[in-house]
Each structure stands twice: as structure tokens, then as C-alpha cells.
Amino acid sequence: MTTQGSDAPRREIGVGLIGLGVVGGGVARALLERRDYFARRVGAPLIVRRAAVRDLSKPRAVELGPGVLTTNVDDVINDPAVDIVVEVIGGEEPAGSYIRQALQAGKHVVTANKELMAKSGPELLAEAHSRGLDIMFEASVGGGIPLIAPFRRDLLANRITSIRAIINGTTNYILTDLARSGAVGHALRSQGIEPPPGGGFAQALAEAQRLGYAEPDPTNDVEGYDAAYKLAVMATLGFRNRVRPDQIDTTGITKLDARDFQYAQELGYVIKLLAIAQVIDDGIVARVGPAVIPQSEPLAKVDGVYNAVQIEGDLTGTVLFQGRGAGADPTSSAVVADLLDLSHAIVLGGRERKYWGPEEDMPVLPLERLETRYYVRVIVSDQPGVLAQIAQTLGNHDVSIAAVSQKEADASAQTAELVVMTHRAREGAMRAALRDIEALPVVSGVSSFLRVEG
Ligand code: HSE
């Protein structure tokens, strides 16, 4: 292991980068441009000793000097001058193997990898701890928004009871566009670009891609997986209890209909993709999905590519973190903060790092245990007694109606659209009621089923 003891004054901290793309490049640039300032803060300069890239000939925005770039990750991991390995390539593999190899080589690790930390974080933290090392991952959730460090330090005295988050910028951009324009496309038009035909979600996504907010393959974002990874990381840390991504009930935004945005607005609500984990009774429930929230809620006002995380602690009450959740500068801010923290510890000679993996053993409960309110849009035959049948079916499952309104009627098809808001009900009861409603001869279909969160 390269970490020197307290009796040997540090002349420098060696940094090794795996990945020199948007985030890696931002980190390298910050370390170069702010070198003197960081050296004063830490007590030794941070120097990028090696950086593994796929293509040596690709032009780089930052000049790292001769011999620093390599295509062989082993050159980074096994370089004795490297104290901290920074993994910024993302994905489960080969990133996971590289991080394990770095730990075996005695290096601390900084990573921005939400998928890996969501799926294997506790094992990696335990492996690091057993070697007197640390893995830091502030950049894995919410880009430049401080979240991991507050969970780890500032909120430690609390029992955290809930985490509610808008944690995916791509989907928040799309939903904001849908809510603002109704027909969507206003952001493209404002740039002189005619949006693709079709309206609704597809158009908003195309717009987000053309403006550079959404990835060319936006599946992870729009299906909610990216938000589920981030929620798993936060919940595991906040509740000190393992929450795996596959335990999070996850629904994306692809099935949303522009009409729901209009109806939600008329009722005083907005639709957001929320990631929520909360402690109920004897366990945890966690979900990612489009949700209807009152316009007065702080999260309802978080628009565009912004992220926000609202945390309930038993001592703090509600705390809200908000900011830019992606991009080179915010994400490199988080990576560099972790680098400075680790570097300072190395300079002070500290080799023992505190273990901060999960310690509790609460079960993650099925979502059927959740109790909340619901928004349902149903297409029904426009004839007498239909509303009574819907109300009766909900009543059969102990679901009480808070408000109901009839929207557009299609005279030629003799159908009408009903929007029902319920009082609090168990998700299990609500799902059973919806199955029965769908089976009613007077019902053409349940078009929307959204949780009312707030
Ligand atoms: N794709 C993510 C988002 C950013 O849209 O928020 C990286 O986590």
C-alpha cells in the first residue's frame, strides 16, 4: 500500500483516473487549475499521475503531460505513485472489477458510479474497510448537490424517516416541458426548431435529446432505473439499512398522457417523477414513479434539469437539498471534494477509515403495504349508474373517493372520461379495486393510475 505513515511528511498525493471523459476531464482540469489552493487546504498538492483512456489519439481539453495517459487500467491501479484511484467510466462492469483491484492494491477509491454503488456498495465498503481504505461516492447521486456527505456526517444524529427526491434531470426536464406547454415543444420552437409530430412524451423526449439534456439512449432515465439506483444509494445510507434497486418498485414516464398534466393542473397539482423511500411500521417501502403532488409542495417547484432531495430526520425535521444533478462541473465538484477529504486524511497519516455501510436489518416491504392517495383516470360508457358502479367497486375494497369529475365525453363512442381522487388507501387494496374496475362491462379501460404524494 502506498499510503505513508504520519512520520513521513507527504510531498504530494498521487491521483489515478480511470476515464477522462466529461467528468474525468472536469476533475483533471479542476486539479490543475486549482492546484495551489487545494495544496494549501490539504497540506500537499494533488497530482494526476496516470489516466486510463480508450483512445490515446483523441483530443483532450486538458493537457496532462507526457506519460500520464495510458490505455491499460493496470498502469493506473498498480502505479506506486498513485494513492487514490478515481473511477469515472460508470456501469457495473468492468468498473466494479477495477475498483476491487484498486482496493487490493491498497488504493483509496473515489467513484461517481451510482449503478455499482446501488448494487454492490455495501460489499465494496466492507472490502475497503477491511483493508483500512475508503470508497467515496459523493458524485454518484445528484451531481454537485451535497447528499452523501450530509447522510454520512451532518444527519448522523437523526433517525431518517423518509427521503423524497426528484433525482433525474432528464425526466424532470421532459415533465416540466409537458406541464408548461401542454402540447409540448415550446423549448424547441424557441430555438427555431420545429418539434417532431405526435405530441406527448415522444415529442418532449426528442426535444430533450436535441437540446442535449437526454442521452442518445435514454432508457435508464425514462424508465426510472437511474432514479432507482440513486434512491437505493441514498436509502441504504440514510436508513443504514440495505435497500437494493430490485426492491424498489419502479415505473418510468413513458406511459404518461398530456391530458393528465392538464387535469392535474386544474386540480392544483403537478406531475413529477418521484423517488421515495420511507420507514413505515416495521420496514421500508421504496418506489420510483410518476406522482401527483400539490403545487404548493417545495418539490413541485423544482423544474427543468434541476434535482432536489427532501429528507425527514427526527431531530432536524425537513431538510431540502437542491441543485444541478449532472454535468461536468457539478459532478467534478463532488469528485474533487471526495479527493480532498481522502487526501487530507492521508496527509494526517490516518489509515483507519470509519465503516459506514448498512447496520440495521429492517425488511424492504412490498409496495402493497404503502398507504397513500391516488389519482385514477377511467374511460367509461356514458350512461346512467356508471359512477355508482365505480364508487361501489372502490368501496368494496375500502377505498374512499375524495373527489370525482367527468372530463371529456366522446359522443360518437358514447364514452366519458372520469378522474377520481381517493382518500388514503392501501396500495394493495387500490390495485385490487382497479382490477375489478377494469373488469366492469361499463369500463373501457383505466388510462392512468398515479400516486398522490404529499
Ligand atoms: N442521466 C442523469 C440525469 C444524470 O438525467 O439526471 C446522471 O446521473
XYZ file of all heavy atoms in Angstrom, residues 114 139-140 142-143 167-171 213-215 221 226 230 305 307 325-327, ligand 1:
149
model
N -23.226 5.298 -9.788
C -24.449 5.034 -8.992
C -24.910 3.590 -9.128
O -25.361 2.976 -8.166
C -25.562 5.987 -9.419
C -25.986 5.792 -10.857
C -26.478 7.059 -11.486
C -26.130 7.019 -12.947
N -26.211 8.252 -13.632
N -20.299 11.865 -5.872
C -20.755 12.193 -7.233
C -21.755 11.184 -7.784
O -22.316 11.397 -8.856
C -19.553 12.278 -8.169
N -21.996 10.094 -7.058
C -22.880 9.059 -7.616
C -24.344 9.478 -7.578
O -25.161 8.938 -8.315
C -22.689 7.736 -6.860
O -23.112 7.862 -5.514
N -26.924 12.892 -7.556
C -27.222 14.325 -7.516
C -26.079 15.233 -7.914
O -26.097 16.421 -7.557
N -25.102 14.736 -8.682
C -24.035 15.595 -9.209
C -23.424 16.479 -8.137
O -22.828 15.997 -7.176
N -34.665 13.170 -8.759
C -33.248 12.840 -8.806
C -32.790 12.459 -10.208
O -31.698 11.956 -10.389
C -32.952 11.737 -7.743
C -31.493 11.708 -7.332
C -33.482 10.373 -8.168
C -31.031 12.905 -6.590
N -33.623 12.750 -11.213
C -33.211 12.524 -12.595
C -33.547 13.771 -13.417
O -34.723 14.122 -13.567
C -33.910 11.282 -13.160
C -33.458 11.013 -14.589
O -34.052 11.512 -15.532
N -32.383 10.271 -14.751
N -32.494 14.410 -13.905
C -32.673 15.682 -14.600
C -33.358 15.537 -15.953
O -34.152 16.391 -16.348
N -33.043 14.446 -16.659
C -33.629 14.243 -17.991
C -35.143 14.173 -17.898
O -35.864 14.865 -18.628
C -33.087 12.927 -18.593
O -31.663 13.012 -18.648
C -33.641 12.682 -19.974
N -35.643 13.334 -17.007
C -37.099 13.177 -16.895
C -37.738 14.435 -16.325
O -38.842 14.804 -16.724
C -37.451 11.967 -16.013
O -36.664 12.021 -14.822
C -37.204 10.672 -16.749
N -29.993 17.393 -23.381
C -30.233 17.040 -21.979
C -30.350 15.535 -21.793
O -29.940 14.995 -20.784
C -31.518 17.697 -21.460
C -31.476 19.199 -21.461
C -32.567 19.953 -21.848
C -30.321 19.864 -21.072
C -32.520 21.336 -21.864
C -30.267 21.245 -21.081
C -31.367 21.974 -21.479
O -31.301 23.334 -21.496
N -30.971 14.846 -22.757
C -31.165 13.399 -22.613
C -30.098 12.656 -23.406
O -29.617 13.125 -24.431
C -32.556 13.007 -23.113
N -29.711 11.479 -22.901
C -28.730 10.628 -23.576
C -29.322 10.141 -24.907
O -30.543 10.009 -25.023
C -28.473 9.376 -22.722
C -28.115 9.645 -21.294
C -26.649 9.964 -21.112
O -25.853 9.594 -21.980
O -26.317 10.597 -20.104
N -32.907 6.558 -17.958
C -33.549 7.755 -17.413
C -35.068 7.623 -17.463
O -35.740 7.727 -16.449
C -33.104 8.998 -18.198
C -31.632 9.308 -18.017
O -31.150 9.205 -16.875
O -30.976 9.643 -19.000
N -32.325 4.910 -13.467
C -31.310 5.827 -12.944
C -31.755 6.371 -11.579
O -30.975 6.393 -10.617
C -31.112 6.966 -13.956
C -30.144 8.026 -13.477
O -28.940 7.861 -13.668
O -30.611 9.042 -12.910
N -30.114 5.717 -7.684
C -29.768 6.807 -6.769
C -30.553 6.692 -5.464
O -30.030 6.961 -4.378
C -30.024 8.155 -7.439
C -29.080 8.420 -8.621
C -29.556 9.593 -9.459
C -28.629 9.885 -10.623
N -29.220 10.840 -11.581
N -33.829 20.759 -15.527
C -32.846 19.710 -15.240
C -32.439 19.682 -13.762
O -31.585 18.882 -13.370
C -31.576 19.872 -16.109
C -31.887 19.531 -17.548
C -30.998 21.262 -15.986
N -32.386 18.914 -9.763
C -32.711 17.814 -8.846
C -32.976 18.407 -7.464
O -32.508 19.504 -7.154
C -31.520 16.864 -8.689
C -31.250 15.968 -9.898
O -30.396 15.112 -9.834
N -31.958 16.167 -10.990
N -27.974 18.315 -10.914
C -27.698 16.909 -10.624
C -26.801 16.215 -11.620
O -26.545 15.017 -11.492
N -26.322 16.924 -12.616
C -25.470 16.296 -13.629
C -24.612 17.371 -14.274
O -24.751 18.560 -13.971
C -26.332 15.610 -14.687
N -23.712 16.922 -15.169
C -22.863 17.876 -15.889
C -21.435 17.837 -15.366
O -21.182 17.419 -14.231
N -28.807 10.909 -16.546
C -28.844 11.535 -15.258
C -29.971 12.552 -15.216
C -27.589 12.264 -14.903
O -30.629 12.811 -16.231
O -30.202 13.082 -14.144
C -26.516 11.381 -14.372
O -26.864 10.803 -13.149
